[in-house]
């Protein structure tokens, strides 16, 4: 009852503040968006108050941009002129808080300077800096050219804006079960960049592809077995429109679909998967960063991934890569009930995160989406497990642990270390899947 009263008072206070605190207008398509005087605040709360406070802030996205969250902490971007109101809200909830980034634009400017310096270096490699949408697709083509016998590059769909959604498949295509065999060569799908501003995710997926191919052709016995016995499909950029737009607005998250008659642009692709769509942890409000869309699979980007998985028919492992927080998660996101295969999924995640930690000492916590971060219906790994029948359906939040270490602007010199540690987990996942193959059964809803 006390919590309800607090919320009521805050809603009244919000009404008093709203006229003065509205965020700036929606920018034009090619107008460079700046984040001068935007700060990031880290908030420490508890498992009782955390979810309530999260939803309260999430519903006021004209003021606050929640960058990341767990059940008892989250980080919020807020303009300096709104900081006192945020402090009022947090103090009313008894939440501890501190500013960890004084000016977001300074981070953006520094990122651009570092990238420009690297790009000016004729000796710089692909993984020395973040790459454009076109260069990522060119990279996939170059891998296919270099390794033609064990790769296929193809388009699985098209974005709302008409950009290709490209994939690379890696496998020893001559190593297939006999045609009269009931054995099916298992597949693993990795995708990234559903959320446009999470630049480290497509670079990591590209790193996985490159390393699998390099190690295979250089005689690494572990990789040879995994490429021989598994079909790996990697889709670095699902949301190409949004990713391209981050050159204009670095903090853009959604796709670029503008529905007729609506002022705001974009749908959150990772709230639009059509399994328990719209049942909580997403928003029906068009201007929300968590806008779920008008219906499940209304967006062509993630629908293309789902169609590919369904048509393939052999996918047993899946990871949707995001940033940031250093987390690994299994279903469910729409409910706090545990999936039927929770134990073996957690066994997989335990081994994966342990392998990651051995490389550079980074800790990745793991658990179910709902209880590890927050309720989130319409998410990728809920659909891949509940709708796509993929046993090892996982989502991952990459480096860093907090915005104080870079947030969405992870320094480019961490691209390779990030790839190295995730690659160790990839090897573990492939081995674990081969040792514990999926028994194809119909999975009931939780």
């Amino acid at each position: 009852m006390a919590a309800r009263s607090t919320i009521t008072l805050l809603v009244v206070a919000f009404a008093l503040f709203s006229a003065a605190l509205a965020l700036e207008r929606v920018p034009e398509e090619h107008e460079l968006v700046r984040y001068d005087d935007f700060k990031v605040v880290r908030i420490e709360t508890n498992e009782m108050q955390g979810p309530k406070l999260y939803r309260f802030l999430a519903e006021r996205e004209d003021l606050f941009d929640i960058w990341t969250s767990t059940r008892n902490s989250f980080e919020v971007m807020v303009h300096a002129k709104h900081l006192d109101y945020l402090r009022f809200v947090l103090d009313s909830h008894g939440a501890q808080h501190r500013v960890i980034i004084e000016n977001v634009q300074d981070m953006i400017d520094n990122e651009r300077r570092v990238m420009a310096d690297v790009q000016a270096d004729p000796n710089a490699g692909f993984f020395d800096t973040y790459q454009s949408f076109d260069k990522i697709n060119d990279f996939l083509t170059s891998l296919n050219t270099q390794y033609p016998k064990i790769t296929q590059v193809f388009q699985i769909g098209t974005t709302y804006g008409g950009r290709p959604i490209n994939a690379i498949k890696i496998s020893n295509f001559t190593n297939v079960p006999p045609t009269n065999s009931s054995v099916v060569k298992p597949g693993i799908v990795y995708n990234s960049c559903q959320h446009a501003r999470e630049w480290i995710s497509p670079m990591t997926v590209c790193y996985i592809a490159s390393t699998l191919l390099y190690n295979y052709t250089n005689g690494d016995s572990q990789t040879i077995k995994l490429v021989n016995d598994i079909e790996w499909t990697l889709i670095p950029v699902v949301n190409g429109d949004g990713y391209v737009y981050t050159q204009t607005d670095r903090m853009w998250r959604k796709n670029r679909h503008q529905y007729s008659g609506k002022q705001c642009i974009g749908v959150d692709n990772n709230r639009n998967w059509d399994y328990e769509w719209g049942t909580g942890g997403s928003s029906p409000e068009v201007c929300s960063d968590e806008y779920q869309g008008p219906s499940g699979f209304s967006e062509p980007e993630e629908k293309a991934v789902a169609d590919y998985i369904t048509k393939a028919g052999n996918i047993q492992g899946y990871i949707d890569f995001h940033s940031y927080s250093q987390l690994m998660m299994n279903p469910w996101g729409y409910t706090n009930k545990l999936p039927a295969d929770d134990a073996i999924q957690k066994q997989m995640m335990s081994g994966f995160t342990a392998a990651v930690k051995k490389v550079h000492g980074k800790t990745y916590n793991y658990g179910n989406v709902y209880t590890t971060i927050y309720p989130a219906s319409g998410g990728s790994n809920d659909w891949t497990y509940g709708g796509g029948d993929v046993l090892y359906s996982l989502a991952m939040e990459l480096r860093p642990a907090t915005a104080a270490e870079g947030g969405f602007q992870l320094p480019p010199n961490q691209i390779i270390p990030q790839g190295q540690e995730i690659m160790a987990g990839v090897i573990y996942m492939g081995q674990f899947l081969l040792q514990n193959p999926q028994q194809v059964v119909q999975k009931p809803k939780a």
Side-chain angles (χ1 to χ4, degrees), residues 227-241:
V227 171
N228 282 344
D229 295 348
I230 297 173
E231 288 184 350
W232 303 80
T233 302
L234 299 98
I235 309 163
V237 184
V238 174
N239 176 14
D241 299 342

Side-chain angles (χ1 to χ4, degrees), residues 217-231:
T217 56
N218 282 274
D220 179 74
S221 59
Q222 288 183 324
T223 307
I224 289 172
K225 180 170 179 56
L226 296 181
V227 171
N228 282 344
D229 295 348
I230 297 173
E231 288 184 350

